[in-house]
Amino acid sequence: MTVPRAFIFDMDGTIVDNMAFHTKSWLAFFERRGHAIDADEFFRSTAGRQGHEIMRTYLDAGLTKEDAALLDAEKEELYRELYAPHLEAVAGFEEFIATAQQEDVRLAVATAAPPANIVFTLDGLDLRRHFDAVVGAADVARGKPNPDVFLLAAERCGVAPEHCIVFEDAPLGVEAARRAGMRAVVLTTTLPAEAFAEFDNVVKLARDFSELDIGELFATTPFTQQAQ
């Protein structure tokens, strides 16, 4: 009997090369409130975290859930306005997942994005139909680097963590995969390869999906770090 296998994809910066637009929207959001932030440091510290976690870190640790949700909605509306004219999948993605499906690999999305952004991206590109599971910020209490979103995606696919490979573009996401006991493939859409040198669960770095071979990825040694 064949062991079930899965690919779990982060969305922003991985399925779509959009992180520059997220950064622009955050800069504009904070500028409205008189805050100046360093774009590079902000990305490294926050990519993969949920919106309410970021709001509490940068604005007010005592924000209520309702107030944080309103602020997050404002920021995400800015992002969608900026990115909408540029919405497209990373090169090779659709061909890659089509091949994966032919080889009986289960597919999931595991993202820190709120529901409106998941609809904007997956439905905007007509990609949702390809996935066995879609897990977002509304489905888990904690964002990355906690492993919750990846573990739930694996559970919904019916695949053990050691047989899942995560696709990510951010260090916090790769760390979340490590804590979940999963191998990771890094897309260097946002950061250079050296930004991921410390991670022992990274099995491949690539500029886009056209550089990836499914058989080669699953031939790598499973990573066995247990969830924390």
Side-chain angles (χ1 to χ4, degrees), residues 22 37 59 89 202 217:
H22 269 299
I37 60 173
L59 293 180
V202 173
L217 295 179

Side-chain angles (χ1 to χ4, degrees), residues 96-149:
F96 182 77
I97 60 172
T99 302
Q101 287 176 311
Q102 290 169 7
E103 298 190 15
D104 295 322
V105 178
R106 298 173 191 179
L107 304 175
V109 172
T111 174
N117 284 9
I118 295 173
V119 169
F120 170 74
T121 300
L122 297 187
D123 296 329
L125 292 171
D126 191 28
L127 292 174
R128 189 187 294 267
R129 59 194 170 91
H130 297 296
F131 295 103
D132 299 286
V134 175
V135 181
D139 299 302
V140 294
R142 305 181 302 173
K144 303 166 189 176
N146 296 294
D148 308 29
V149 70

Side-chain angles (χ1 to χ4, degrees), residues 9-207:
F9 299 90
D10 169 53
M11 188 176 76
D12 293 333
T14 302
I15 294 176
V16 287
D17 185 4
N18 62 343
M19 293 310 296
F21 295 92
H22 269 299
T23 299
K24 288 177 183 178
S25 64
W26 277 116
L27 291 172
F29 173 84
F30 283 120
E31 186 177 343
R32 290 177 178 180
R33 289 158 177 82
H35 294 282
I37 60 173
D38 179 88
D40 290 339
E41 176 57 32
F42 181 80
F43 173 80
R44 291 173 188 269
S45 301
T46 63
R49 295 176 66 194
Q50 296 184 5
H52 68 88
E53 295 171 326
I54 297 171
M55 298 296 179
R56 287 174 178 145
T57 298
Y58 283 83
L59 293 180
D60 181 357
L63 277 175
T64 66
K65 183 178 179 179
E66 292 74 19
D67 286 342
L70 287 172
L71 292 169
D72 193 37
E74 176 189 338
K75 180 268 163 189
E76 297 304 343
E77 185 176 355
L78 273 172
Y79 152 71
R80 291 191 295 272
E81 289 175 1
L82 287 169
Y83 187 53
H86 310 277
L87 180 63
E88 65 176 349
V90 167
F93 178 73
E94 294 187 62
E95 294 83 357
F96 182 77
I97 60 172
T99 302
Q101 287 176 311
Q102 290 169 7
E103 298 190 15
D104 295 322
V105 178
R106 298 173 191 179
L107 304 175
V109 172
T111 174
N117 284 9
I118 295 173
V119 169
F120 170 74
T121 300
L122 297 187
D123 296 329
L125 292 171
D126 191 28
L127 292 174
R128 189 187 294 267
R129 59 194 170 91
H130 297 296
F131 295 103
D132 299 286
V134 175
V135 181
D139 299 302
V140 294
R142 305 181 302 173
K144 303 166 189 176
N146 296 294
D148 308 29
V149 70
F150 291 137
L151 291 172
L152 182 56
E155 179 184 328
R156 290 183 176 177
C157 284
V159 178
E162 64 267 26
H163 298 301
C164 296
I165 296 178
V166 165
F167 296 78
E168 264 286 353
D169 72 306
L172 290 182
V174 175
E175 172 61 14
R178 189 191 70 81
R179 295 185 190 184
M182 299 177 184
R183 288 165 284 180
V185 172
V186 170
L187 276 293
T188 54
T189 52
T190 314
L191 291 175
E194 52 265 30
F196 302 90
E198 68 183 272
F199 295 103
D200 55 356
N201 62 323
V202 173
V203 296
K204 181 74 174 179
L205 296 106
R207 289 171 295 181

